[in-house]
Structure formats: C-alpha cells, structure tokens
Amino acid sequence: MKRALPASFYARDVLEVAPALLGARLVRRLDGAEIVGLITEVEAYRGEEDLACHARAGRTARTAVMYGPPGRAYVYFTYGMHWMLNAVCMEPDFPAAVLVRAVRPLSGLEIIAARRSGIPPAHWTDGPARLCRALGIDRALNGCDLTDPSGGLWIEPGQSVPIEKIQTTPRIGIGSVPEPWKSQPWRFTYSENC
C-alpha cells in the first residue's frame, strides 16, 4: 500500500504546509504506470482576504473545492490553455491552497518524455502548467483526495528540507494584485545544490 501524507498534514495553516511540501513526492498513476516528482517550488494562497487568491470573490463553482476538506486537489484552468494543481489546506470553509509550481522528475521519465516531446528535460516540469502536462493532470482530478492513492494522484513523504535551504520570494504572475498581497513572501523554493 502506498503511503500518502494524511489529511492532518494539510489541516494546518497554509503558510506551514507550503514549505513543508518541499521535498515531498508528487505521484501520478497514469495508464498503469507511476510518475514521481520531488516538489521543489510552491506558493501559498490564503483566504478571501488574500487578493491574489481565487477565493477573493467568495465561494463559486470554480473555487468550491478550496472550501472543502484539507488534502483535496484543486485543479483549475487558466489562460484558456493551462491546468494548475493545488493542495487544499486548513479547515473546511476557509479557502486556502498550495499551488505546486515545480517538481524534479524521479521516475516515469519515459512517460514524461513522451508527453513533453521536443521539450528539453530541464523544462519538463519546471512550471505549474508544465508539470500538469507532464503528469496528465486536468479537470478530471479536481477534488481528488490527495491522501488516498487509489485516486491516481497523491503526495507522499519525501526528504526533509532544512529551513536554511528554503528561499522565499513574492508569488509569481500576480502583478496586478495590490499590496500587501503582491509582495507577500509566500513562494517557497529550494535547490538541492544550495
């Protein structure tokens, strides 16, 4: 039996969960095979007051999953072409999620290569839309229980990342969001070379 992170892992403040996801293993079962990537970059989105968060407009059909139980996948479509994967955090009815921005592929490389044909390996999964394409993550996985491997998408414990190796910066792609949300240091990254 695969060992996924439990719901209690996600039922904490999103600003605790986000850096704790660095070094964890994102696993996707696709066509009978498994693709595994080490999570290296994430962003936190926290509540209706966070003007960079989709929940800023309240509960909608699109954001309903964010208001649900912790440990669910919030998968949304953006720019008319890209899927993005988030892990829902905190207590139900408080919308918060961690956007998984990048992973380092560990296994299933031949599947990723076929899905990302013509793309250099360094760029297979180095962005949120790229990793969704590489791992076959789309609307069908919106609401998937990330704590249950039977759903085909889950997050396992991985390697612990020392706090001194984690870098924080403002979130990416939110240039039109007003302060203080634009500059919140809620993007967390790490490099194994640090």
Side-chain angles (χ1 to χ4, degrees):
M1 181 66 186
K2 299 293 182 179
R3 183 175 59 121
L5 291 168
S8 59
F9 175 89
Y10 301 97
R12 301 179 288 157
D13 192 296
V14 70
L15 296 175
E16 293 177 37
V17 177
L21 279 172
L22 294 175
R25 296 160 44 98
L26 177 65
V27 185
R28 172 76 166 115
R29 186 177 298 115
L30 191 63
D31 300 326
E34 285 184 5
I35 306 168
V36 180
L38 191 76
I39 298 174
T40 59
E41 181 182 352
V42 296
E43 288 179 348
Y45 292 87
R46 191 180 191 281
E48 294 175 359
E49 71 280 358
D50 176 1
L51 297 184
C53 182
H54 287 171
R56 66 187 172 274
R59 188 187 302 248
T60 65
R62 181 189 199 198
T63 64
V65 171
M66 289 184 76
Y67 289 81
R72 294 298 197 272
Y74 169 46
V75 180
Y76 67 87
F77 199 56
T78 189
Y79 302 119
M81 65 177 78
H82 301 303
W83 294 103
M84 306 285 199
L85 170 66
N86 298 258
V88 174
C89 299
M90 301 181 71
E91 67 273 7
D93 296 320
F94 186 92
V98 175
L99 172 65
V100 181
R101 288 196 52 88
V103 300
R104 181 172 62 81
L106 298 176
S107 67
L109 303 185
E110 63 289 339
I111 300 168
I112 294 174
R115 295 186 62 82
R116 303 288 286 136
S117 180
I119 305 296
H123 298 296
W124 280 348
T125 58
D126 65 341
R130 292 172 180 178
L131 78 87
C132 283
R133 278 195 295 276
L135 276 66
I137 297 170
D138 60 19
R139 182 189 316 274
L141 291 166
N142 189 38
C144 175
D145 186 350
L146 296 173
T147 71
D148 182 359
S150 69
L153 180 68
W154 68 96
I155 300 176
E156 297 176 344
Q159 60 190 55
S160 179
V161 177
I163 192 76
E164 64 271 11
K165 289 196 171 187
I166 297 174
Q167 292 105 35
T168 59
T169 71
R171 295 168 290 185
I172 294 174
I174 59 169
S176 62
V177 172
E179 298 293 357
W181 309 108
K182 181 178 177 179
S183 298
Q184 293 289 357
W186 291 356
R187 174 176 170 259
F188 303 88
T189 65
Y190 95 101
S191 167
E192 293 163 299
N193 300 323
C194 291

